Amino acid sequence: MTVESTAARKTTRRSSGAKRTTGASAGAKKADQAPAGEPELVQLLTPEGERVQHPDYDIDLSAEELRGLYRDMVLTRRFDAEATALQRQGELGLWASLLGQEAAQIGSGRALRDDDYVFPTYREHGVAWCRGVDPTNLLGMFRGVNNGGWDPNSNNFHLYTIVLGSQTLHATGYAMGIAKDGADSAVLAYFGDGASSQGDVNESFVFSAVYNAPVVFFCQNNQWAISEPIEKQTRVPLYQRARGFGFPGVRVDGNDVLACLAVTRSALERARRGEGPTLIEAFTYRMAAHTTSDDPTRYRRDAEREAWEAKDPILRLRAYMENEGHADAAFFEELEAESEALGKHVREVVRAMPVPEHMAMFDHTYADGHALVDEERAQFAAYQASFADGEAE
Amino acid sequence: MAVQKLPLAKALNESLRKALETDPKVVVMGLDVGKLGGVFRITDGLQKDFGEDRVIDTPLAESGIVGTAIGLALRGYRPVVEIQFDGFVFPAYDQIVTQLAKMRARSLGTVKMPVVIRIPYGGGIGAVEHHSESPESLFAHVAGLKVVTPANSSDAYWMLQQAIQSDDPVIFFEPKRRYWDKGELDTEAIPGELHKARVAREGTDLTLVAYGPMVKTCLEAAAAAAEEGKSVEVVDLRSISPLDFDTIQTSVEKTGRLVVVHEAPVFFGSGAEIAARITERCFYHLEAPVLRVGGYHAPYPPARLEEEYLPGLDRVLDAVDRSLAY
């Protein structure tokens, strides 16, 4: 697919999108309203749970697959709520909630193959869930018992990256390695609207385009970089930036799990075919604070959140499934019980997380050893031992 | 032929060639490293022989070069990155400090970071600004990085081999004004340890500690001092992190006097660390305070002033005299 043909397809999409909104209810039209001149989002499921068609990104899922996506979103939200509660109870030092972004993360995460590799920022709890990372592992960093918490290679899910945008370059380099290996895996790199301003994100666009690297950039535009609104990051819709770097960009309804799945799957397949990177902008909303240390009441109005609550990703899939008879009451009851069990499990595991053994702070700094580390480790051990001697006396 | 006499730059080229031949996972990457062979020709001919896939010309973006090298390392490659000049490394400093240095520790040792970052450094070649700096302390201060610098052809060849074989990230500083100095290289020798200092000249009255471009200056100073009847020992550090304090200590216990020489500004420089540690270790052996000779707390000056800024023979000898006068 060339850049030109992508642009041509976008025109098609715009007109088909306009057709779609005529069919939707007035409420949906209002909630989805894009600023003048901005193209519509790729959407397969309206906020009311109505299934709509899209010429480029249609998808056909079984009832079981739909239930799977729903389950993923519900459990991820439950996990996230538990982590927020644990922070409030003093069990975690900080938590970055994904509330509202479940569809963006589960939809994109479920598009991945096992041999693909993910480079997250620090809010991709739903993607981690899709990769099979034990969710309690995500909490070690926030509890302060480690700075990572999992072996990135065991689930092809890299460590969370806090410095904004750094991981998009790691993703690009990893993708360059895949291409060198002659493999057909792909890389999915996550970042946010704030990180889109970072040099590293733009450099990763340059490198991935130049080397035609099999990487998909998944920007969750949740509208806010702590207190800075999207208007403080960009004058053009973020997905349009891709064109200037020479690869396609597409904006998807980030609260529509089906659309996120379809668009990400398509972009990953494109990468596998050796056609290079794609930028996906998932248009979504951070319903909670940036982190538990943040106070969004200082910078945004309740009405904004309420407007986005009407587009809740979980409620819309549930409405669709109920309307179409894809799930019965028993399914929802069982899931509720599973959610509670997950919450309880997370609570228990977090509270039982041991403080690392003191000497561990020296571990793993170097693979080959380092004389200074050895010396300071020995000094620290002797210092600690001096207290033990004192107690013994 | 195993033993040959060749310039330091050529020894580095031979070293990269050997690394590319030995390990298919080694890739060389950076600005102009391909057809041009690098602005100092350190990678001359490598792309021709190993292809664009192994010797990679990159976009002009230092953070991008190091950031993608980290990704390649995560995929199992061993990238050797060239930063064109010392003063150009700072756009990549974030990736080096916040990502490269910490990746292994954050993963609890489950991932390796075998990335070498080659940086031509130091002054004395009459360059414009940002082309003559010595930022080694900024990297040595960061846990997770190793910092080394060869002073002759043999070390250039062997230390680069060892840096590439290391599973730790190594910042490899190349003394650019010594690139054209010829020295002996035995490609079949058994190399010394990467992080062990070397006594470059034996002496009994005073120890000069130096590394990289200043080793030659200090050897010349020691030769000049010998004409005045002073016996000066010269220690070539080779590695700045980790730093071989044992070798310095042994020398200082013998001579009782220490002068540290480097091009970088003295303030918070590697000389400060050496002075502090050696004072701790050798307090009762010292006949004089540890003295330092280096750059000033000023931006690296325009080229017409660099001879005044850089430690030369006279400034080193002046410090030797001051130390001996105690």
Side-chain angles (χ1 to χ4, degrees):
Chain A
M1 186 173 14
T2 64
V3 177
E4 287 70 27
S5 74
T6 311
R9 288 170 57 166
K10 252 179 223 139
T11 319
T12 321
R13 186 150 64 240
R14 197 176 296 137
S15 56
S16 77
K19 229 178 282 165
R20 184 218 0 114
T21 41
T22 27
S25 74
K29 205 188 289 176
K30 194 180 173 197
D32 276 353
Q33 211 162 43
E38 280 195 27
E40 299 285 342
L41 317 161
V42 175
Q43 193 182 64
L44 298 177
L45 199 57
T46 71
E48 288 69 35
E50 283 174 48
R51 187 75 167 77
V52 288
Q53 302 303 313
H54 192 282
D56 299 331
Y57 296 104
D58 208 19
I59 194 167
D60 189 21
L61 297 179
S62 68
E64 191 186 349
E65 286 170 316
L66 290 168
R67 287 196 297 271
L69 293 172
Y70 184 80
R71 175 179 174 270
D72 288 338
M73 289 199 290
V74 166
L75 293 181
T76 299
R77 181 172 286 187
R78 183 65 185 86
F79 164 73
D80 186 73
E82 191 61 40
T84 302
L86 284 164
Q87 195 283 330
R88 296 301 184 221
Q89 293 160 15
E91 301 287 350
L92 300 177
L94 184 77
W95 182 243
S97 168
L98 65 27
L99 188 63
Q101 298 177 223
E102 295 86 353
Q105 295 193 14
I106 300 301
S108 57
R110 284 298 177 209
L112 289 156
R113 246 170 38 186
D114 282 351
D115 59 332
D116 295 334
Y117 214 99
V118 172
F119 285 84
T121 166
Y122 46 76
R123 202 191 294 281
E124 274 66 68
H125 321 313
V127 188
W129 172 267
C130 293
R131 298 307 279 169
V133 176
D134 181 341
T136 58
N137 281 352
L138 306 173
L139 299 170
M141 185 170 96
F142 294 98
R143 188 169 169 86
V145 300
N146 59 47
N147 292 322
W150 58 91
D151 173 1
N153 290 324
S154 61
N155 302 77
N156 283 11
F157 186 80
H158 190 65
L159 301 168
Y160 276 177
T161 300
I162 291 181
V163 177
L164 290 187
S166 295
Q167 77 284 357
T168 58
L169 280 169
H170 309 161
T172 301
Y174 194 93
M176 288 161 63
I178 288 176
K180 280 183 189 305
D181 294 344
D184 76 339
S185 318
V187 174
L188 190 50
Y190 289 85
F191 62 100
D193 43 303
S196 74
S197 299
Q198 287 280 357
D200 277 4
V201 170
N202 291 275
E203 291 188 24
S204 69
F205 290 174
V206 171
F207 275 70
S208 62
V210 164
Y211 297 115
N212 208 41
V215 56
V216 175
F217 297 103
F218 195 91
C219 175
Q220 290 171 86
N221 175 2
N222 68 13
Q223 315 300 327
W224 292 94
I226 308 189
S227 72
E228 303 291 356
I230 184 68
E231 295 76 29
K232 280 284 190 294
Q233 311 297 337
T234 184
R235 295 288 300 274
V236 299
L238 290 174
Y239 79 92
Q240 288 182 2
R241 287 197 184 167
R243 185 144 194 234
F245 291 92
F247 54 88
V250 52
R251 178 181 272 182
V252 61
D253 183 341
N255 287 18
D256 173 354
V257 70
L258 303 186
C260 288
L261 173 61
V263 168
T264 311
R265 191 177 274 172
S266 164
L268 288 169
E269 280 164 7
R270 183 176 183 278
R272 289 185 216 295
R273 289 195 302 268
E275 293 171 26
T278 302
L279 169 62
I280 298 170
E281 178 191 358
F283 204 75
T284 184
Y285 191 71
R286 189 193 82 210
M287 290 213 229
H290 164 68
T291 67
T292 45
S293 297
D294 173 34
D295 175 11
T297 64
R298 294 176 72 104
Y299 57 82
R300 68 185 191 190
R301 291 169 296 118
D302 288 346
E304 181 182 294
R305 182 182 154 133
E306 284 158 17
W308 278 92
E309 277 172 353
K311 300 195 243 186
D312 188 291
I314 295 182
L315 296 181
R316 83 169 69 174
L317 183 58
R318 179 167 181 149
Y320 173 59
M321 287 163 61
E322 285 179 336
N323 290 342
E324 299 294 319
H326 291 313
D328 56 15
F331 167 76
F332 293 111
E333 278 165 30
E334 279 166 30
L335 186 54
E336 183 58 32
E338 192 180 0
S339 292
E340 284 316 304
L342 176 68
K344 184 165 180 280
H345 171 70
V346 167
R347 203 156 56 240
E348 285 168 359
V349 172
V350 165
R351 287 183 175 151
M353 273 181 187
V355 173
E357 193 261 319
H358 294 182
M359 299 304 287
M361 72 171 112
F362 296 99
D363 293 348
H364 311 302
T365 309
Y366 293 94
D368 303 341
H370 190 288
L372 181 64
V373 175
D374 294 344
E375 185 183 322
E376 292 187 353
R377 183 194 280 116
Q379 284 169 356
F380 180 71
Y383 179 68
Q384 290 217 308
S386 71
F387 290 105
D389 289 349
E391 281 164 16
E393 276 163 21
Chain B
M1 193 172 71
V3 184
Q4 35 187 328
K5 203 166 163 81
L6 77 179
L8 193 152
K10 184 72 180 146
L12 291 168
N13 179 271
E14 291 291 332
S15 187
L16 288 170
R17 176 173 294 279
K18 170 93 173 165
L20 285 160
E21 278 168 2
T22 309
D23 184 349
K25 290 295 186 187
V26 171
V27 291
V28 170
M29 55 196 287
L31 278 176
D32 305 310
V33 298
K35 280 206 178 69
L36 183 67
V39 290
F40 288 106
R41 308 292 182 265
I42 307 301
T43 57
D44 193 23
L46 297 179
Q47 192 183 65
K48 185 168 75 67
D49 295 341
F50 295 94
E52 292 180 15
D53 220 38
R54 305 281 312 278
V55 181
I56 308 166
D57 273 320
T58 63
L60 205 168
E62 284 79 10
S63 188
I65 295 169
V66 173
T68 53
I70 291 170
L72 281 160
L74 289 169
R75 181 74 190 176
Y77 286 85
R78 303 184 89 86
V80 185
V81 164
E82 176 170 306
I83 298 292
Q84 210 155 56
F85 283 93
D86 35 64
F88 301 172
V89 73
F90 297 105
Y93 195 64
D94 168 41
Q95 281 287 347
I96 295 170
V97 172
T98 68
Q99 306 299 323
L100 180 65
K102 296 185 167 80
M103 201 69 86
R104 180 183 162 78
R106 294 188 61 225
S107 73
L108 301 177
T110 56
V111 300
K112 296 187 286 193
M113 271 296 118
V115 178
V116 175
I117 299 178
R118 296 179 36 242
I119 308 176
Y121 82 123
I125 64 163
V128 295
E129 69 168 340
H130 312 305
H131 288 66
S132 304
E133 296 166 11
S134 300
E136 61 272 15
S137 294
L138 299 176
F139 295 93
H141 197 64
V142 178
L145 301 177
K146 292 186 167 179
V147 183
V148 303
T149 173
N152 57 51
S153 297
S154 177
D155 275 350
Y157 180 87
W158 285 113
M159 287 171 69
L160 185 53
Q161 292 288 304
Q162 292 164 323
I164 293 169
Q165 283 156 18
S166 169
D167 285 336
D168 289 316
V170 180
I171 313 296
F172 193 90
F173 280 105
E174 299 172 1
K176 69 169 88 79
R177 71 157 127 162
R178 308 298 182 208
Y179 272 151
W180 303 279
D181 289 0
K182 282 190 174 184
E184 279 202 355
L185 167 62
D186 181 351
T187 53
E188 283 165 23
I190 296 167
E193 290 173 47
L194 178 58
H195 301 292
K196 188 134 179 62
R198 171 181 72 103
V199 178
R201 178 191 172 109
E202 304 253 4
T204 52
D205 297 338
L206 179 143
T207 302
L208 281 177
V209 163
Y211 51 84
M214 282 295 108
V215 173
K216 184 179 182 185
T217 306
C218 285
L219 285 170
E220 288 168 358
E227 287 175 20
E228 296 170 9
K230 300 163 193 163
S231 172
V232 172
E233 182 149 304
V234 179
V235 174
D236 172 5
L237 277 187
R238 302 171 75 251
S239 174
I240 298 165
S241 177
L243 206 150
D244 178 6
F245 290 103
D246 292 346
T247 298
I248 308 173
Q249 180 177 354
T250 303
S251 179
V252 171
E253 283 175 359
K254 177 171 71 172
T255 64
R257 288 180 166 82
L258 174 62
V259 176
V260 188
V261 184
H262 51 63
E263 288 191 12
V266 165
F267 188 66
F268 273 88
S270 48
E273 182 62 40
I274 294 166
R277 295 227 175 218
I278 291 302
T279 303
E280 260 185 67
R281 286 178 174 222
C282 308
F283 189 70
Y284 293 108
H285 289 91
L286 285 168
E287 304 288 342
V290 179
L291 300 181
R292 292 169 288 161
V293 184
Y296 302 107
H297 196 57
Y300 193 88
R304 296 299 176 98
L305 294 178
E306 70 179 339
E307 288 306 317
E308 312 307 317
Y309 176 92
L310 292 167
L313 201 57
D314 290 339
R315 277 176 62 197
V316 176
L317 288 172
D318 176 66
V320 168
D321 288 346
R322 278 190 286 133
S323 178
L324 288 168
Y326 274 92

